[in-house]
Amino acid sequence: MLSPDRIDDIALLEDLSMTAWPAPRRIIHRGWALYFAAGHTGRANSANAVVPLAQVDDASIDMVESEYRRQGLPPQFRLTPLTPPDLAGRLADRGYRIASESKVMFRSLEGVPACAPDAAVRVQDRLDQAWMDACRRMVPIPEAEMPALLSILNGITARPRFAALWQDGQPVAACLSVLDRGWAGFYKVACRPDRRGQGLPRRLMTDMMARAVAEGAVGAYLQVGAANAPALALYDRLMFRHLYDYAYAKLG
């Protein structure tokens, strides 16, 4: 379906993920998009190549550094297969370090039946306080980052689906799925700490993929930290395949 050898396939998933996770402020400059979201998540606070780039000049790197400092944020580049091959080395020479590494994974939804929805899964197309509170109980989010996160979630212009799996009258797993151009992107997949090991995120994502098929999706994708072994195991069981890697190069 997709191949890591085709740069257009990588560019497609980059387009989808940037649309699904929209930073509230941005600057576009010579094939780069600089995103600003008060420090919440690397993707929304880094410079990203939006087309395959063979090179970048020193003036553009200087501009990126200047703009992030102006926003009160550390300069940060997201290194993907779209960025110039020599960029990582050039940034290292300037004092940048690799802050984190992640994998982008995908799977075809061919053969996934658009079956009856799981009655324990509640889905809505708008963010509300109940979903946000449930998510924060599963994965703590600093209060200082909440305005930026809410701006991102409320700014999604594709088709968001805020989902939660309920048991015993309480949400025990949650995720965000964004439907766009035939793809379902998964974000904020979480489980209540005292309910881990019961297969709840798998159950939730299985149901959400079936719902995505019913809405016309043909594929699914997600990003996961390269060191997150439990999540990698979950996505392997859900038949997601590795497409490409990315890393954050951060100054300071």
Side-chain angles (χ1 to χ4, degrees):
M1 186 179 187
L2 299 179
S3 169
D5 298 323
R6 295 198 297 260
I7 196 68
D8 286 350
D9 289 347
I10 293 171
L12 169 63
L13 287 200
E14 285 291 294
D15 285 352
L16 291 169
S17 62
M18 291 305 176
T19 301
W21 198 251
R25 298 182 303 282
R26 69 194 66 190
I27 294 173
I28 307 300
H29 175 77
R30 295 185 178 179
W32 291 91
L34 284 60
Y35 297 116
F36 309 96
H40 183 74
T41 74
R43 178 180 298 275
N45 293 275
S46 57
N48 290 257
V50 294
V51 294
L53 296 173
Q55 59 186 10
V56 58
D57 55 33
D58 286 333
S60 292
I61 298 176
D62 291 341
M63 185 277 293
V64 169
E65 293 180 355
S66 175
E67 290 299 330
Y68 278 92
R69 290 186 177 115
R70 189 171 66 86
Q71 294 288 334
L73 296 168
Q76 183 167 232
F77 285 81
R78 184 165 165 271
L79 305 176
T80 75
L82 303 185
T83 54
D86 66 343
L87 181 59
R90 291 174 63 189
L91 293 177
D93 291 342
R94 285 176 171 245
Y96 284 74
R97 60 180 176 83
I98 298 301
S100 64
E101 298 176 288
S102 295
K103 297 180 178 295
V104 177
M105 306 180 75
F106 79 100
R107 62 155 293 169
S108 168
L109 293 180
E110 183 179 358
V112 174
C115 54
D118 188 330
V121 175
R122 302 182 187 179
V123 183
Q124 56 205 55
D125 59 9
R126 292 184 181 276
L127 176 67
D128 68 7
Q129 193 63 48
W131 186 91
M132 194 71 259
D133 288 345
C135 188
R136 293 186 74 184
R137 285 193 292 270
M138 297 173 200
V139 180
I141 301 166
E143 190 64 37
E145 295 183 15
M146 282 303 299
L149 174 57
L150 292 173
S151 179
I152 291 169
L153 295 177
N154 286 315
I156 299 171
T157 55
R159 292 182 289 163
R161 302 291 182 262
F162 298 92
L165 174 65
W166 285 65
Q167 284 185 348
D168 304 321
Q170 299 179 31
V172 292
C175 74
L176 164 65
S177 176
V178 180
L179 304 174
D180 182 19
R181 287 166 275 180
W183 287 83
F186 283 90
Y187 299 83
K188 294 293 184 185
V189 179
C191 182
R192 217 172 74 180
D194 63 336
R195 299 293 182 96
R196 289 173 183 162
Q198 300 178 26
L200 301 177
R202 182 179 182 180
R203 177 179 170 183
L204 176 59
M205 289 185 65
T206 297
D207 180 71
M208 291 305 295
M209 285 191 285
R211 292 175 191 251
V213 168
E215 294 196 71
V218 298
Y221 72 92
L222 52 83
Q223 300 93 29
V224 57
N228 190 341
L232 289 168
L234 166 65
Y235 301 140
D236 182 66
R237 290 193 295 271
L238 287 169
M239 296 188 293
F240 280 82
R241 296 164 48 199
H242 173 251
L243 185 65
Y244 64 97
D245 300 321
Y246 67 84
Y248 291 101
K250 191 173 186 178
L251 185 60

